[in-house]
Amino acid sequence: MAVVVLAVILLSMVGHSSGTWCVCREGLSEAMLQKTLDYACGAGADCGPIHQNGPCFNPNTVKSHCSYAVNSFFQKKSQSQGTCASAGTATVSASDPSYTTCAFPASASGSGTMTPVTTTPSTRVPTTTNTRPYTVTPSTGGGLGIPAGEILDLWRGVEAVCFDVDSTVCVDEGIDELAEFCGAGKAVAEWTARAMGGSVPFEEALAARLSLFKPSLSKVDEYLQKTPPRLSPGIEELVKKLRANKIDVYLISGGFRQMINPVASVLGIPRENIFANNLLFGNSGEFVGFDEKEPTSRSGGKAKAVQHIRKGRSYKTMAMIGDGATDLEARKPGGADMFICYAGVQLREAVAAQADWLIFNFEPLINSLD
């Protein structure tokens, strides 16, 4: 009888309460939901209720448990901006997700204390018949927990780090922003999404995007004057930390030198450490194309750039950090030893699933260099 009364009370709360919650998005794979769940529990969410015999254990699905965990983290952080998985795995909701015996807190006071779970990481994907509780390792920063020991050792011993620029060093896609400035933003952005997801060859997507708006030299100059670089939070601190540790930093981008040079200047990265495409203009400043000799102008080009750097400088260990399929390609023999997927701007699930380390901000990389 007491259980029935409790259920009635909770259902009443669902129908009439008001507040703000954080829930995991629909359409994500169970593996990505599991990573998001592990991050939230490790970063301090109260995940006790989703353990076996807890009030929120059933339904025993990754999606249900993920939503409870990210909401707990969101509430503990006082619903601060960016704490509802800003990379795209979760979203803010005005609808109370509470159900039967499980009440989702709508404020920090209902989320328990900020104590992360400290048991062995779980690698399984739960099913409705599984009776084991969730167990995760606490995170050292904003990423999805601590990576495997050998990956952490590789990062700490790295001699050079190569960064993608668009949606990694910067919070936007440079070609999309330039296209928007020139009046062709939507069509170009659609091509960018296809290129970064790896569904079309990069060189095909690059040529197609440029053909849609053909930027003149004067238009590019005007854009640069009116649009200073928008750097991702923490990138300046990370680059500073790397350089202080005598670790060389490179920018390897499918974007354009004209737009990346200002970024390199802000970060103190020498021009010779930039590998990017180059827009070509005629005598009157009209757009005539791009330099197809640049390795980054085609699929596999970033991998070739990293291999070129490694061979020329004889680095023993290198890392590639980015968000797209072309960045993932750089992890290969003779190239990068590890690929770190930065999902702080765009979460490309197919890429993230193959990363050595998935992060949502640069804090875990900074902290692990101490």
Side-chain angles (χ1 to χ4, degrees):
M1 183 65 180
V3 173
V4 173
V5 172
L6 176 60
V8 171
I9 293 173
L10 286 171
L11 286 171
S12 175
M13 290 170 60
V14 173
H16 299 89
S17 62
S18 62
T20 304
W21 295 265
C22 180
V23 295
C24 289
R25 290 185 180 276
E26 299 289 344
L28 295 176
S29 70
E30 289 192 331
M32 188 57 63
L33 290 170
Q34 179 73 56
K35 288 183 177 181
T36 304
L37 166 62
D38 289 349
Y39 162 59
C41 292
D46 177 16
C47 294
I50 56 178
H51 278 224
Q52 184 181 5
N53 298 323
C56 302
F57 179 70
N58 287 315
N60 182 19
T61 64
V62 184
K63 174 67 163 54
S64 177
H65 291 187
C66 179
S67 289
Y68 187 89
V70 296
N71 181 67
S72 175
F73 180 77
F74 179 59
Q75 305 302 346
K76 285 176 179 296
K77 293 294 185 179
S78 301
Q79 302 182 0
S80 300
Q81 183 177 1
T83 57
C84 185
S86 59
T89 57
T91 184
V92 172
S93 173
S95 299
D96 189 349
S98 300
Y99 58 90
T100 58
T101 60
C102 180
F104 279 55
S107 65
S109 60
S111 300
T113 58
M114 196 69 171
T115 303
V117 179
T118 58
T119 46
T120 307
S122 170
T123 56
R124 60 158 182 86
V125 176
T127 66
T128 54
T129 59
N130 194 353
T131 58
R132 293 179 58 196
Y134 282 92
T135 52
V136 297
T137 297
S139 169
T140 57
L144 294 184
I146 302 173
E150 62 269 22
I151 297 301
L152 198 57
D153 289 341
L154 272 176
W155 172 247
R156 288 171 173 164
V158 75
E159 294 181 351
V161 177
C162 301
F163 286 93
D164 171 43
V165 177
D166 296 337
S167 294
T168 301
V169 170
C170 294
V171 299
D172 44 35
E173 290 284 336
I175 190 171
D176 292 358
E177 296 300 311
L178 179 60
E180 181 69 29
F181 188 77
C182 296
K186 183 177 180 180
V188 170
E190 291 175 353
W191 270 102
T192 297
R194 295 171 64 187
M196 293 302 98
S199 61
V200 296
F202 182 80
E203 58 271 27
E204 178 183 334
L206 180 60
R209 287 179 289 177
L210 288 172
S211 69
L212 290 171
F213 67 106
K214 299 178 179 179
S216 66
L217 177 59
S218 62
K219 203 67 175 178
V220 172
D221 287 342
E222 182 184 359
Y223 170 80
L224 293 174
Q225 291 174 5
K226 294 182 177 180
T227 315
R230 295 198 302 149
L231 300 180
S232 294
I235 187 62
E236 289 184 86
E237 183 181 355
L238 175 56
V239 170
K240 183 179 180 180
K241 190 69 168 286
L242 290 169
R243 296 177 65 195
N245 287 7
K246 309 298 183 184
I247 299 170
D248 294 333
V249 178
Y250 295 83
L251 299 179
I252 302 182
S253 174
F256 306 109
R257 290 181 181 274
Q258 288 88 343
M259 302 169 70
I260 294 172
N261 286 339
V263 176
S265 296
V266 172
L267 296 175
I269 298 173
R271 297 288 176 88
E272 60 266 26
N273 284 16
I274 300 174
F275 289 76
N277 293 314
N278 195 31
L279 292 171
L280 301 178
F281 305 99
N283 293 332
S284 300
E286 74 278 14
F287 171 77
V288 297
F290 61 93
D291 189 351
E292 296 182 5
K293 295 180 181 179
E294 293 284 358
T296 53
S297 68
R298 50 192 178 273
S299 294
K302 288 186 178 180
K304 291 183 178 179
V306 175
Q307 289 173 325
H308 173 78
I309 294 169
R310 185 164 190 160
K311 183 177 180 180
R313 298 295 298 273
S314 299
Y315 292 121
K316 294 181 180 179
T317 309
M318 296 184 68
M320 180 74 202
I321 302 176
D323 70 296
T326 56
D327 306 310
L328 174 62
E329 291 174 342
R331 185 190 61 194
K332 63 191 313 180
D337 298 280
M338 63 183 301
F339 169 61
I340 300 172
C341 180
Y342 175 72
V345 178
Q346 292 286 336
L347 173 62
R348 308 186 198 280
E349 190 170 333
V351 177
Q354 300 179 67
D356 297 301
W357 193 352
L358 173 61
I359 59 172
F360 284 113
N361 63 54
F362 294 115
E363 187 177 348
L365 302 183
I366 296 169
N367 291 344
S368 60
L369 289 173
D370 288 333

